[in-house]
Amino acid sequence: MAELFAAVEIIAAKRDKHELTNDQIDWVVDAYTRGVVADEQMSALLMAILLNGMNSREISRWTDAMINSGERMEWSALDRPTVDKHSTGGVGDKITLPLAPLVAACGAAVPQLSGRGLGHTGGTLDKLESIPGWRASLSNAEMLKVLQDTGAVICAAGAGLAPADKKLYALRDVTATVEAIPLIASSIMSKKIAEGTGALVLDVKTGSGAFMSDPERARTLARTMVELGTRAGVKTLALVTAMDVPLGLTAGNALEVRESVEVLAGGGPADIVELTVILAREMLQAAGVKNTLDPVDALKNGQAMDHWRRMISAQGGNPDAPLPLATENHVVVAEQDGELIAMDAMKVGVAAWRLGAGRSRQGEKVQAGAGIEMHAKPGEMVKAGQKIFTLHTDESDRFERALEALDGALRISNTGEKVERLPLIVDRIEG
Ligand code: URA
């Protein structure tokens, strides 16, 4: 059958800063997914989009075209409202782990399709896979069963969900076109809308360890995604949150699971607890769950922990099994007395990645025990020789490159300089 358009005309239109028509967008996304538009043609179009942008109609249509490339999930068999959270990714961002069972304990259902880490940011599935036996791949029927039984499920998106995005994302990764706001927004929202959640809370990270280090660009991304969700009938809101400093005191897969379990046991670092509780309240409100257990109480009284244990067991994991530990460690100490005024999230993330917590190619194996423990955070007084980081890995030859990444990550001052930190919640954007 004859094709509707020639890809080269669509590329030229965007190159020359014209709007793409709905028909052009529908066709090019579909034809690329079918293999009719070649990678080199789509690469050129993606670069033209990165350079010349898309308006909100084009972004919305592009998102719909990606949704329509695959299946749409639906959860009408559940007896409670669904709500999900998506983070744009950061260093030490393990919030999904305590958050999903916490929100389930407070009365909403959380169907969460998560990803793996690439580069310096960790991935929720890699973290959970450090729990012996835990399985990331579930069929749709298994997903529904876990949701019905435990109120929360965290698993990998199946091949049938937004296949256009899978192909496009892999291409963007190797053509320096990941950073375009229309492409990030449509990529994230096509998967979240196809996932069938009724409400969605976005955690858009900003600061050195985030995709969008500039808060203004983070706000634009947040607004674009809120608009896409709202138009699709999903109650969507976004928090723009700090990622200038790593979240919590650990970055690395099993290390982050251990810290998440501390939060579920009613302890854990203050920033993790605060962000988890804020996001849980936003999710419950967005889902319309009223007069329910407060998230703070659900963390204190063990109900969130019960849901965690059930959720992990339902996916084959043993919540009581000891978590893997790396075989080698190396301690980094403070070089002087003073106040720790800055800790660069990007540098910590890159160091954890180089220790083996992350991967540099899709499909590579990660080390469950690798990563970094932080023993102090900005705002604390430290003494020369005091432990600041412990680096963990199974391969001691990784320390050198990790230490190089940490060069300049810390600033310690004894001149009364102010701590340089973004507020935890930078902005809130509602549809
Ligand atoms: N996460 C996604 O799923 N897509 C992007 O484009 C960026 C982050």
Side-chain angles (χ1 to χ4, degrees):
M1 202 171 68
E3 292 292 334
L4 283 178
F5 294 95
V8 70
E9 284 167 18
I10 298 176
I11 300 165
K14 192 41 82 182
R15 178 200 63 197
D16 297 340
K17 302 191 169 68
H18 298 304
E19 284 184 29
L20 301 183
T21 66
N22 290 344
D23 287 345
Q24 285 176 320
I25 291 172
D26 292 349
W27 179 81
V28 81
V29 171
D30 175 58
Y32 178 62
T33 312
R34 287 187 285 119
V36 168
V37 169
D39 277 349
E40 55 270 29
Q41 293 178 309
M42 186 50 95
S43 305
L45 180 58
L46 292 173
M47 188 55 83
I49 291 171
L50 180 134
L51 295 172
N52 296 330
M54 291 205 282
N55 66 21
S56 58
R57 177 197 54 79
E58 291 173 290
I59 301 174
S60 175
R61 193 71 181 203
W62 187 277
T63 307
D64 285 345
M66 293 211 291
I67 296 169
N68 293 335
S69 71
E71 63 176 325
R72 274 181 97 130
M73 304 179 83
E74 64 94 23
W75 307 109
S76 57
L78 294 172
D79 60 359
R80 38 190 179 152
T82 50
V83 59
D84 191 7
K85 185 243 9 173
H86 179 83
S87 160
T88 56
V91 179
D93 182 3
K94 70 275 298 170
I95 301 288
T96 291
L97 275 57
L99 182 64
L102 173 60
V103 171
C106 296
V110 186
Q112 168 131 121
L113 298 176
S114 291
R116 292 177 197 285
L118 190 66
H120 75 283
T121 64
T124 298
L125 301 181
D126 295 328
K127 294 172 196 180
L128 287 168
E129 277 176 347
S130 66
I131 301 173
W134 188 85
R135 225 165 23 96
S137 294
L138 301 182
S139 67
N140 291 358
E142 283 175 316
M143 220 180 139
L144 178 62
K145 172 103 178 62
V146 178
L147 258 184
Q148 277 168 329
D149 294 349
T150 77
V153 62
I154 303 174
C155 62
L161 196 105
D165 178 64
K166 288 198 176 65
K167 244 185 123 175
L168 280 168
Y169 193 81
L171 188 63
R172 287 166 57 210
D173 202 33
V174 294
T175 55
T177 51
V178 170
E179 285 80 1
I181 286 178
L183 299 178
I184 297 176
S186 57
S187 165
I188 293 173
M189 293 307 292
S190 62
K191 288 172 285 196
K192 291 290 152 182
I193 296 166
E195 167 197 280
T197 186
L200 177 66
V201 175
L202 297 159
D203 181 2
V204 179
K205 299 288 185 203
T206 189
S208 79
F211 256 128
M212 297 285 147
S213 51
D214 169 28
E216 247 343 283
R217 272 177 63 75
R219 280 191 184 91
T220 305
L221 175 63
R223 267 188 231 107
T224 308
M225 291 197 290
V226 167
E227 214 177 287
L228 286 172
T230 307
R231 267 200 214 168
V234 179
K235 169 84 188 147
T236 309
L237 69 97
L239 298 183
V240 178
T241 71
M243 186 35 70
D244 50 339
V245 170
L247 267 172
L249 296 171
T250 56
N253 301 310
L255 290 168
E256 293 192 42
V257 172
R258 202 167 288 123
E259 188 168 277
S260 302
V261 172
E262 282 169 23
V263 172
L264 287 159
D271 58 346
I272 298 286
V273 176
E274 187 182 349
L275 188 54
T276 303
V277 167
I278 289 171
L279 286 166
R281 289 188 180 137
E282 292 283 12
M283 287 169 75
L284 292 164
Q285 196 185 340
V289 177
K290 296 198 183 83
N291 305 323
T292 178
L293 186 62
D294 186 71
V296 171
D297 296 329
L299 288 175
K300 293 269 176 262
N301 71 14
Q303 293 197 39
M305 179 68 97
D306 286 347
H307 280 75
W308 160 263
R309 294 176 61 82
R310 280 163 43 201
M311 178 183 86
I312 295 302
S313 305
Q315 288 176 239
N318 177 357
D320 297 315
L323 289 163
L325 292 170
T327 52
E328 312 291 326
N329 60 65
H330 179 96
V331 171
V332 175
V333 299
E335 285 175 359
Q336 63 175 92
D337 290 357
E339 185 174 5
L340 182 55
I341 58 167
M343 178 182 281
D344 187 294
M346 175 60 98
K347 289 179 186 287
V348 173
V350 171
W353 171 25
R354 290 184 179 176
L355 288 166
R359 56 173 71 74
S360 38
R361 283 172 190 282
Q362 265 163 3
E364 223 171 56
K365 255 188 160 338
V366 295
Q367 289 182 25
I372 297 188
E373 272 179 280
M374 293 153 253
H375 304 290
K377 291 293 282 286
E380 290 178 35
M381 298 303 294
V382 297
K383 292 233 165 284
Q386 181 182 327
K387 262 206 270 188
I388 304 289
F389 295 126
T390 305
L391 277 50
H392 299 266
T393 180
D394 293 330
E395 296 160 312
S396 57
D397 57 355
R398 288 179 177 261
F399 285 132
E400 191 180 335
R401 296 256 299 136
L403 289 166
E404 272 170 32
L406 285 176
D407 192 34
L410 299 173
R411 286 207 329 132
I412 298 172
S413 168
N414 45 28
T415 61
E417 237 178 297
K418 279 216 167 15
V419 174
E420 297 166 4
R421 278 195 84 159
L422 288 169
L424 186 59
I425 309 297
V426 176
D427 208 346
R428 180 179 188 281
I429 292 160
E430 211 171 350

